[in-house]
Amino acid sequence: MIELVVLDMAGTTIDEHGDVYRALEESVKATGATVSADDLQTWMGADKTEAIAALMELGGITPDPIVVARQFDEFRALLAQFYAANPPVALPGVEDALRELKSRGIKVGLTTGFSRDVAAPILETLGWGIGEGELLDAVVTSDEVAAGRPAPYLIHRVMEATGVHNVRNVIAGGDTVVDLLAGHNAGVRPLGVLTGALDRDQLEAHPHEWVLGGVKDLPEVLASALVSK
């Protein structure tokens, strides 16, 4: 029995046109660090302060905490600028899928490598409310836990917020490797989706229970699994 589905935001439920990649890359490059595409992808989905520090170090620049904090502010400013010019939208079929899950009594939560002040305006733009009678039951951001993905804390915090106790009754995932690793580390059922930058082979190389074309496919897959039992 699935009680809770926990999903990433950018690239999984929300199409933000790749702007988070651009903002992260530009904020790190401004320090003089080089940023490879592979390293950038590795750190997508992670807490953005942690990602900036790691990418600086990988790019040959010592991640001084003051500089990291400054570049995180730069990242947020760039992202706000990009989103103002080209607002994020729901990925096709996602809203219908989430409503279908909720109609079956399954709770829905979102997690993100964004801080609350970045995530909240995106959700407001989409009209995705949180709480009784709303599309979402909980949203947990990276600044509200001890460590972001691949640590399990974001997922466990959503479980806490929604009153779900059994990790085997939880599906969690997204479009990046760290989404799958976080699900695995949390003991839940990891889900990968192909709406981000990675292909099936890249996601299936990591712990997973499903790799689907998108969140839109999840209700049908869960219905089929229930029938097969």
Side-chain angles (χ1 to χ4, degrees):
M1 175 184 174
I2 300 301
E3 298 180 71
L4 171 65
V5 171
V6 183
L7 300 166
D8 171 51
M9 286 178 57
T12 300
T13 53
I14 298 168
D15 180 3
E16 48 81 59
H17 320 294
D19 286 337
V20 66
Y21 285 83
R22 291 173 56 205
L24 184 58
E25 182 176 18
E26 288 186 24
S27 64
V28 174
K29 281 186 172 179
T31 68
T34 57
V35 180
S36 75
D38 286 346
D39 288 341
L40 185 63
Q41 179 56 53
T42 296
W43 282 93
M44 287 306 299
D47 171 84
K48 295 304 177 282
T49 301
E50 295 173 11
I52 289 168
L55 289 168
M56 285 176 61
E57 188 164 19
L58 288 166
I61 300 296
T62 300
D64 177 87
I66 294 175
V67 176
V68 171
R70 183 190 70 204
Q71 294 315 114
F72 177 64
D73 288 342
E74 175 68 9
F75 162 78
R76 291 192 299 182
L78 285 170
L79 197 62
Q81 175 185 328
F82 295 156
Y83 282 177
N86 194 13
V89 296
L91 280 161
V94 164
E95 290 188 3
D96 288 342
L98 299 187
R99 290 192 184 96
E100 175 62 25
L101 292 173
K102 294 203 68 171
S103 75
R104 300 180 193 177
I106 298 172
K107 296 175 181 179
V108 175
L110 297 184
T111 61
T112 178
F114 296 149
S115 54
R116 176 67 62 171
D117 63 328
V118 174
I122 298 172
L123 297 174
E124 185 177 354
T125 296
L126 294 170
W128 290 5
I130 306 166
E132 185 70 28
E134 300 289 352
L135 184 65
L136 306 172
D137 294 289
V139 175
V140 179
T141 59
S142 63
D143 58 329
E144 297 170 339
V145 292
R149 307 180 189 112
Y153 308 133
L154 287 164
I155 296 167
H156 288 163
R157 184 65 63 86
V158 174
M159 291 179 62
E160 180 183 2
T162 55
V164 174
H165 301 155
N166 190 340
V167 292
R168 296 308 297 162
N169 293 344
V170 179
I171 295 171
D175 63 298
T176 68
V177 170
V178 293
D179 290 315
L180 291 176
L181 294 177
H184 175 70
N185 291 337
V188 305
R189 302 182 179 199
L191 165 71
V193 294
L194 301 174
T195 45
L198 299 183
D199 62 27
R200 181 173 296 277
D201 288 343
Q202 289 171 307
L203 288 177
E204 288 185 345
H206 301 275
H208 66 281
E209 191 147 338
W210 301 275
V211 173
L212 305 178
V215 170
K216 63 182 177 57
D217 301 321
L218 186 56
E220 182 178 357
V221 168
L222 292 183
S224 299
L226 185 61
V227 169
S228 68
K229 291 181 179 180

